[in-house]
């Protein structure tokens, strides 16, 4: 494999597709800060745990800027061959991400009343 496939459904496989997505990301979140929390290497696998912090200042995936701050965590795993990443997997909590942007309603807390969830009345739904 000559290009590193990406597991995210909104990024096509290959280096150029990943570069293009990163360009769109940094246009939408120009103040992105990434913290590497942990890194583990075992054989041909490299695992990193990252925290991303940014402000939504440009459009992304058809969504206009909200100006809101986001914090997103991501575990990433790469398979490396001859010093080159040939496979990549990650897990992004897109529900949490879009909720922080105000594009999704917050999820109900188990056991919370309708009032606590922002609705009317009380008790279980």
């Amino acid at each position: 494999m000559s290009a590193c496939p990406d597991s995210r459904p909104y990024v096509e496989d290959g280096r150029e597709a990943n570069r293009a997505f990163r360009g769109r990301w940094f246009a939408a979140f120009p103040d992105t800060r990434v913290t590497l929390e942990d890194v583990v290497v075992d054989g041909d696998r490299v695992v990193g745990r990252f925290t991303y912090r940014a402000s939504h200042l440009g459009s992304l995936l058809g969504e206009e800027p909200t100006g809101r701050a986001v914090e997103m965590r991501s575990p990433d795993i790469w398979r490396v061959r001859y010093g080159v990443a040939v496979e990549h997997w990650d897990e992004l909590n897109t529900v949490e991400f879009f909720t922080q942007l105000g594009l999704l309603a917050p999820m109900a807390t188990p056991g919370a009343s309708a009032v606590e969830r922002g609705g009317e009345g009380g008790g279980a739904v």
Side-chain angles (χ1 to χ4, degrees):
M1 237 186 270
S2 62
C4 182
D6 194 289
S7 63
R8 292 171 288 191
Y10 44 85
V11 180
E12 294 181 28
D13 286 347
R15 286 192 177 101
E16 290 308 314
N18 277 269
R19 283 186 187 118
F21 177 78
R22 283 191 301 273
R24 293 188 304 272
W25 174 270
F26 285 110
F29 297 91
D31 64 345
T32 298
R33 296 166 317 283
V34 182
T35 303
L36 175 60
E37 308 289 353
D38 289 301
V39 66
V40 177
V41 178
D42 186 18
D44 66 349
R45 305 296 164 119
V46 177
V47 179
R49 185 172 62 91
F50 300 91
T51 301
Y52 298 83
R53 294 175 181 89
S55 303
H56 187 210
L57 304 176
S59 64
L60 180 70
L61 301 173
E63 297 296 339
E64 291 304 311
T66 63
R68 292 183 179 209
V70 295
E71 181 175 300
M72 179 173 58
R73 288 163 299 286
S74 172
D76 290 76
I77 304 170
W78 293 270
R79 186 172 69 85
V80 178
R81 185 169 184 195
Y82 304 116
V84 176
V86 294
E87 289 185 274
H88 171 248
W89 303 268
D90 65 6
E91 290 293 328
L92 302 174
N93 188 336
T94 54
V95 170
E96 181 182 35
F97 175 73
F98 286 114
T99 300
Q100 289 178 52
L101 291 177
L103 303 173
L104 284 177
M107 295 181 71
T109 304
S113 71
V115 172
E116 292 169 316
R117 290 190 306 272
E120 294 181 17
V125 175

